[in-house]
Amino acid sequence: MLQSCHENIDGEFTIFCCDLQLRNLFIGKSTFNFIFIQKEEIKYVMPYKNLEEYNIEVTKDIKERYKNIIEDLGEDTSRDGLIKTPERAAKAMQFLTQGYDQDPVEILTGAMFKESYNEMVIVKDIELYSLCEHHILPFFGKVHIAYIPNGYIVGLSKLPRIVDVFARRLQVQERLTEQILDCINNTLKPQGVAVVIEASHMCMMMRGVQKQNSITTTSGFRGQFEKIETRNEFLKLIGK
Ligand SMILES: Nc1nc2c(ncn2[C@@H]2O[C@H](COP(=O)(O)OP(=O)(O)OP(=O)(O)O)[C@@H](O)[C@H]2O)c(=O)[nH]1
Ligand SMILES: [Zn+2]
């Protein structure tokens, strides 16, 4: 029974094949060249493996473009340390922009639970890593999210997950703030939601104006958080 088959960018296959009934495990490097492992050897196979998958055609295309860029910058892509760099960079950029293919609504609705709790829920200091859409340089910092339930609570981890969905795109901090806010507001339909983002932008630190200590704060409030007392309680609880 074929469990999974992964082709890397050089067309090499890794196959994981496991017949649980017979308790035999096959693991190989090509479609036609299995290594047969007896059940006693199963202990050498990791019980958990986190696999990264990339579209081969897209990766090849981005890799070639990176090769040209690196050469245009005056480097030699055939030197030892740079041989695999175009492919690494192609994979890194696809990782950092994977949010385009993810559905934040599906993530939230996947863990909404009926509950009568109707006080403020705050998840603060969520790490943020995104890319500024003007220079394709990182901006990074913290996101603080609060909501007041309206019959439903949401799995806590889903809030950082939707931060990542919107952060792993080419972004501006203002739009990122609004997208997180609107997604929670429209999906969970709470009594209120608040989002504050504090971030440093590498395009202002490493180049351009070269300011190392400036932090940009953006915020958005919906429902109950539009009331000054509720908003102030939230800001006090996140230490602002
Ligand atoms: N509002 C906003 N601006 C951003 C964000 N990230 C980067 N920027 C700004 O985008 C602007 C782009 O301005 P341009 O004048 O077109 O680009 P530039 O010549 O590279 O500008 P400098 O960075 O000032 O050298 C810069 O002022 C950046 O600081 C963001 O998340 N929100
Ligand atoms: Zn920028």
Side-chain angles (χ1 to χ4, degrees), residues 132 134-135 139 171-174 201 203-204 207-209:
C132 114
H134 305 116
H135 302 94
F139 65 94
Q171 274 290 11
V172 292
Q173 190 175 326
E174 294 89 333
H201 291 247
C203 64
M204 287 175 68
R207 57 155 299 288
V209 73

Side-chain angles (χ1 to χ4, degrees), residues 9 48 51 57-58 73 83 90 134 139 141 168 171 197 227 238:
I9 196 164
Y48 170 78
L51 293 166
E57 287 311 312
V58 175
L73 293 173
I83 289 174
H134 305 116
F139 65 94
R168 287 179 177 153
Q171 274 290 11
I197 301 184
K227 286 193 206 151
I238 63 167

Side-chain angles (χ1 to χ4, degrees), residues 92-121:
M93 281 310 291
Q94 287 177 87
F95 178 89
L96 295 171
T97 56
Q98 65 184 277
Y100 292 116
D101 297 324
Q102 296 169 337
D103 183 353
V105 173
E106 193 180 63
I107 290 172
L108 281 188
T109 52
M112 279 170 54
F113 312 107
K114 217 172 167 43
E115 282 294 339
S116 58
Y117 181 85
N118 63 2
E119 300 295 329
M120 199 180 294
V121 178

